[in-house]
Amino acid sequence: MIKRVIALTLLAGLGLLFLGLLLDYRPDTDLNLSARYYAERTAPDLGAANIVTAIVVTYRGLDTLGEVTVLFLSATIVGLVLALGRRRGQAPAGLAPVGELLTTGSRMLTPLILLLGAYVFVNGHLTPGGGFQGGAILASGILLLLLADPLRHFSHGLISAVESLAGVFYVAIGLAGLVWAGGFLDNRILPLGDLGALFSAGAIPVIYSLIGLKVGAEFASMLASLAETEEL
Amino acid sequence: MVDISLIAMATGFVLILIGLYGALTNGNLLRMIVAFTVADAGVNLVLVSVGYMRGRTAPILDSAVPAAEAVARIIDPVPQALVLTAIVIGLGVTALMLAYAYRLYEAKGTLDIAKFSELKW
């Protein structure tokens, strides 16, 4: 009881802070300096139609490389933590049969989900979406397969090969930007093309596709590690 | 007339408070993880609402938003890029918390945080 009172007091203080922020908040009517720069310069400099993508992949590309690394680390640690002391070969008791609908549905839907994921990350520079979203959609296809067959085994070797190769090419493209264009992860190593075309915006679609594969592989490895705990 | 970004921001703040309340008062590790994801969603909602501007559209250039008019037509793209990062990192953190909760359950056979008293003072 006393714990609840302390928690409520703390939260009341935090809520007062939030209330102050909320009451003082005045929405901007014009873009601030950095947003204005991105809005004006993205199309002529980078040729990307989606400004958020231009920021994520090129202007702040180094941060995205770091973000992908954080994701890689957390996927690795999940795998490591769950693999410790794993016992093999015990059939789990009382796993309910999944049923005809889920099995057939997953067979039909998984290819379509993977296709949608690839579409989302390939078009990341044109439409809402991109590598992270596309990668998450790819992993949701894997999740559907796991729901239909919780004991299915995924090849960790294949997943980590996709993940590492995508990472290596990502950094290689970044270094190519250092040599042939303005700096690390500069997208102008490839022609910028016409604004709004699929093959435009230089290296952005290539980088975002690699990110999509990498994120998809990382999420898939997390899902596979978590699913393998079913065996215990 | 209340601005829609204010409504979104207030909702985000409320979600943060709900999430923290849940994390502070629940003893079950899984419930704490769920509570943290609620607070996470609240933070993301607040961040996105900061970038919203009335009467403007998404920061994507097409026939509706030609590049020349972009400055007057689009909302702030920076918070959106930040939230994209935050969502992904949030997912990584959630996966880690779940993995550790599983290991703790294996070690003690319980998810009740009160039973883990080794570091308690």
Side-chain angles (χ1 to χ4, degrees):
Chain A
M1 193 63 230
I2 188 93
K3 224 178 94 180
R4 195 161 292 234
V5 173
I6 296 175
L8 280 175
T9 322
L10 276 174
L11 290 178
L14 197 60
L16 276 180
L17 280 180
F18 285 160
L19 196 65
L21 286 177
L22 193 65
L23 293 181
D24 279 351
Y25 178 71
R26 295 282 169 274
D28 287 344
T29 47
D30 279 316
L31 291 181
N32 58 36
L33 212 56
S34 58
R36 172 179 284 271
Y37 177 87
Y38 292 139
E40 278 172 349
R41 303 305 309 165
T42 295
D45 285 357
L46 306 182
N50 185 340
I51 298 177
V52 178
T53 298
I55 295 175
V56 167
V57 179
T58 302
Y59 286 119
R60 309 299 319 156
L62 193 62
D63 293 346
T64 304
L65 187 58
E67 179 188 359
V68 173
T69 312
V70 169
L71 206 57
F72 165 70
L73 272 179
S74 74
T76 315
I77 297 172
V78 167
L80 181 74
V81 166
L82 292 179
L84 285 175
R86 173 170 297 155
R87 298 184 295 273
R88 288 238 164 251
Q90 281 161 293
L95 213 59
V98 283
E100 189 65 28
L101 268 181
L102 190 52
T103 316
T104 315
S106 78
R107 269 192 213 133
M108 196 182 78
L109 282 177
T110 307
L112 293 177
I113 293 177
L114 295 184
L115 188 66
L116 175 69
Y119 175 84
V120 167
F121 66 62
V122 169
N123 285 283
H125 57 306
L126 304 177
T127 54
F132 293 101
Q133 297 89 327
I137 294 173
L138 289 188
S140 73
I142 307 284
L143 180 63
L144 185 59
L145 286 179
L146 278 172
L147 282 178
D149 179 7
L151 297 180
R152 177 191 281 269
H153 269 278
F154 288 99
S155 157
H156 281 283
L158 179 66
I159 292 176
S160 59
V162 170
E163 204 274 324
S164 326
L165 280 178
V168 167
F169 281 118
Y170 184 11
V171 176
I173 288 176
L175 291 175
L178 208 52
V179 179
W180 287 295
F184 190 62
L185 284 172
D186 195 330
N187 70 332
R188 286 168 290 191
I189 51 174
L190 295 174
L192 290 185
D194 299 322
L195 184 73
L198 180 58
F199 294 102
S200 67
I204 287 182
V206 183
I207 295 177
Y208 232 10
S209 301
L210 290 172
I211 293 179
L213 287 176
K214 195 167 158 61
V215 169
E218 278 155 359
F219 285 1
S221 112
M222 286 183 198
L223 288 173
S225 302
L226 285 168
E228 278 163 20
T229 59
E230 292 263 15
E231 285 165 15
L232 290 172
Chain B
M1 175 76 191
V2 185
D3 203 40
I4 192 161
S5 67
L6 280 177
I7 299 174
M9 194 178 279
T11 313
F13 282 140
V14 171
L15 279 178
I16 296 175
L17 291 175
I18 292 174
L20 288 181
Y21 176 77
L24 285 171
T25 54
N26 272 304
N28 186 302
L29 282 174
L30 284 182
R31 289 180 182 215
M32 292 168 87
I33 294 171
V34 173
F36 270 116
T37 56
V38 172
D40 193 36
V43 174
N44 292 335
L45 196 53
V46 171
L47 275 175
V48 169
S49 71
V50 170
Y52 180 80
M53 288 176 210
R54 204 179 172 73
R56 294 186 176 220
T57 183
I60 296 175
L61 308 171
D62 55 11
S63 52
V65 186
E69 296 172 23
V71 173
R73 299 285 300 277
I74 62 166
I75 60 169
D76 192 346
V78 181
Q80 306 210 348
L82 284 177
V83 168
L84 178 56
T85 309
I87 290 173
V88 175
I89 300 299
L91 184 130
V93 172
T94 309
L96 269 185
M97 288 195 289
L98 283 174
Y100 285 128
Y102 176 77
R103 291 297 296 176
L104 287 173
Y105 179 76
E106 254 192 345
K108 288 252 164 140
T110 174
L111 283 169
D112 187 358
I113 193 100
K115 299 282 192 306
F116 297 93
S117 50
E118 286 89 352
L119 291 176
K120 207 171 176 183
W121 44 272

